[in-house]
Amino acid sequence: MKKRLSRGGCLAAAGILFLLFFLSFRGIEKAELLETEGRNFEKAEVVEVLADNAAGNQASAGKQRVKLKLLSGEHSGKTVEANSSSGYLFGAHCKVGMKVIAIVSESNGELAVSVYSENRGPMVWLMIGIFVAVVVLVGGKKGVSSILGLGFTMLCIFFVFLPMIYQGVSPIFAAVLVVILTTLVTMCLVDGITRKSLAAMAGTVTGVIVSGIFAWIFGKVTSISGYNVSDIENLVYVGEMTDIRIGELLFAGILIAALGAVMDVGMSIASTLNELKEANPQMTVQDLFRSGMNVGRDMMGTMSNTLILAFTGGSINTLVFIYAYNYQYQQIMNMYSVGIELMQGLSSSMGVILAVPCTSLIGALLLGNKFGR
């Protein structure tokens, strides 16, 4: 009952804090970066293909002229003609009966319609539903807690982090705030306010902050900043039109990216120490710390490998270019894209590694004989 009350109190406090931030940044007036008046994205169904010059079965080449029945918006039910460019990024190779998303532009009562893409929304939500169902079936109550924690993290990113940085708050400060808030809520959902969860929280926050510090140092000594990312031209334009501090976004992203892996390590070590203490109440602080380090050392290799592989997978296109064009060593080592990927992977791994002794020490102090059971 005490554990349940502590969990409820913690979640209530976090909910109130989130609500305060949400209300503070509600109703933000956004700068108009692109003229979109009179243009809407609406659901539609292909009812007829009028012209098709796609090359054979290559859905990625050619243009089509199709007839669409609009299924949403103020012109719902109306049948219109539209263009569809079958490309890799936009358009769709239309077939009769296909559900698509159409760009509907209205000017002086005239409609101009084009196919934006196939309507993937229902299938995306179906896959999300399958994921949630599997997590709940396998994890039971813990699975439900995990989904709730993930949902809260997404809410914090979209309704706290992004509005804060849009109004000029430091992205690094906003990321640290989100890390602390989501860590607190996730740990409370999983275990409530206990010595185990406190150790996991402390280890997680410490590890993520270490990641940020290491990334900052890495950037300083290698002359890499947030202005060296691939899409900087678009970001600079956004920065000129808003109060977003573009130069800090890279490091804020590293903090958020490191959170999941570091949290996993922190909770795993804290949970292990708690189980060992319950199995052997006579374990001392030194015994628990030694056990935590032994478990952590086994996790460090796999988690660091996981992070490096994750960032490598995200930059696989760059690696293909490097290999196919036979770049030279000096060229590779001095590419901004390579340096940024190394910064992200090494910084996150550093957070995981140093979360091990931090969580082990704090968990041992909280759970060891010095503090009783």
Side-chain angles (χ1 to χ4, degrees):
M1 180 62 70
K2 184 178 179 181
K3 182 177 179 179
R4 222 176 258 178
L5 289 174
S6 67
R7 178 183 297 176
C10 174
L11 293 177
I16 293 172
L17 187 60
F18 170 81
L19 188 60
L20 289 175
F21 279 113
F22 173 75
L23 294 176
S24 299
F25 296 104
R26 188 183 177 188
I28 296 176
E29 292 187 10
K30 295 184 180 180
E32 187 173 357
L33 304 179
L34 184 66
E35 177 62 45
T36 59
E37 186 176 354
R39 189 188 73 170
N40 295 293
F41 290 79
E42 306 292 356
K43 298 177 184 178
E45 181 181 354
V46 179
V47 296
E48 185 179 353
V49 177
L50 302 175
D52 188 349
N53 67 347
N57 293 324
Q58 297 180 18
S60 60
K63 294 184 179 180
Q64 294 175 304
R65 185 69 179 171
V66 297
K67 189 173 289 186
L68 302 179
K69 180 180 180 181
L70 299 177
L71 303 177
S72 65
E74 60 179 306
H75 300 288
S76 179
K78 189 173 183 179
T79 300
V80 297
E81 291 188 8
N83 293 316
S84 177
S85 299
S86 301
Y88 288 108
L89 298 179
F90 301 103
H93 189 70
C94 296
K95 298 178 181 179
V96 175
M98 178 185 287
K99 298 294 192 299
V100 297
I101 298 298
I103 302 176
V104 181
S105 301
E106 184 175 7
S107 179
N108 298 323
E110 296 291 327
L111 292 181
V113 184
S114 61
V115 175
Y116 176 70
S117 71
E118 184 176 350
N119 186 5
R120 304 183 184 93
M123 290 299 102
V124 170
W125 284 111
L126 175 62
M127 299 307 294
I128 292 174
I130 292 173
F131 168 75
V132 171
V134 171
V135 172
V136 172
L137 287 174
V138 175
K141 291 182 178 180
K142 296 290 185 180
V144 174
S145 297
S146 299
I147 294 299
L148 291 175
L150 178 60
F152 183 80
T153 300
M154 293 298 101
L155 288 175
C156 284
I157 291 174
F158 284 105
F159 296 106
V160 176
F161 176 74
L162 292 177
M164 285 181 72
I165 67 173
Y166 191 87
Q167 291 195 330
V169 176
S170 166
I172 295 176
F173 172 79
V176 170
L177 178 65
V178 167
V179 165
I180 293 174
L181 192 58
T182 56
T183 299
L184 179 66
V185 170
T186 301
M187 296 302 181
C188 284
L189 284 169
V190 172
D191 197 60
I193 298 296
T194 63
R195 292 172 183 174
K196 177 176 73 174
S197 64
L198 288 175
M201 290 178 199
T204 298
V205 173
T206 301
V208 171
I209 292 176
V210 165
S211 292
I213 294 173
F214 185 83
W216 180 81
I217 295 173
F218 192 110
K220 285 293 183 182
V221 300
T222 58
S223 299
I224 294 176
S225 72
Y227 288 95
N228 301 130
V229 295
S230 59
D231 51 355
I232 187 58
E233 289 83 4
N234 293 330
L235 286 173
V236 166
Y237 174 67
V238 171
E240 290 173 349
M241 299 295 291
T242 66
D243 295 323
I244 298 176
R245 303 184 190 182
I246 302 301
E248 298 182 22
L249 290 178
L250 174 63
F251 303 99
I254 290 174
L255 289 173
I256 294 175
L259 176 59
V262 177
M263 186 184 296
D264 185 27
V265 170
M267 177 52 83
S268 296
I269 293 176
S271 182
T272 299
L273 295 183
N274 187 70
E275 291 297 320
L276 289 172
K277 178 63 178 178
E278 290 186 355
N280 183 7
Q282 302 305 317
M283 289 189 74
T284 63
V285 171
Q286 292 81 0
D287 293 334
L288 288 171
F289 177 74
R290 192 179 304 112
S291 297
M293 289 299 296
N294 289 336
V295 172
R297 289 189 182 103
D298 290 337
M299 299 184 65
M300 276 167 26
T302 56
M303 290 303 299
S304 297
N305 196 37
T306 299
L307 287 168
I308 296 297
L309 288 176
F311 286 115
T312 301
S315 59
I316 194 68
N317 295 340
T318 301
L319 295 179
V320 169
F321 282 126
I322 289 173
Y323 185 80
Y325 285 95
N326 197 26
Y327 288 4
Q328 298 179 22
Y329 168 78
Q330 295 296 349
Q331 181 182 7
I332 296 171
M333 290 305 296
N334 290 281
M335 291 172 62
Y336 279 122
S337 57
V338 172
I340 289 172
E341 293 300 330
L342 286 172
M343 176 197 292
Q344 293 174 328
L346 294 178
S347 299
S348 298
S349 298
M350 185 67 75
V352 167
I353 292 169
L354 294 184
V356 170
C358 290
T359 307
S360 299
L361 177 60
I362 296 171
L365 291 172
L366 291 175
L367 296 168
N369 278 337
K370 182 179 178 181
F371 289 88
R373 290 193 64 180

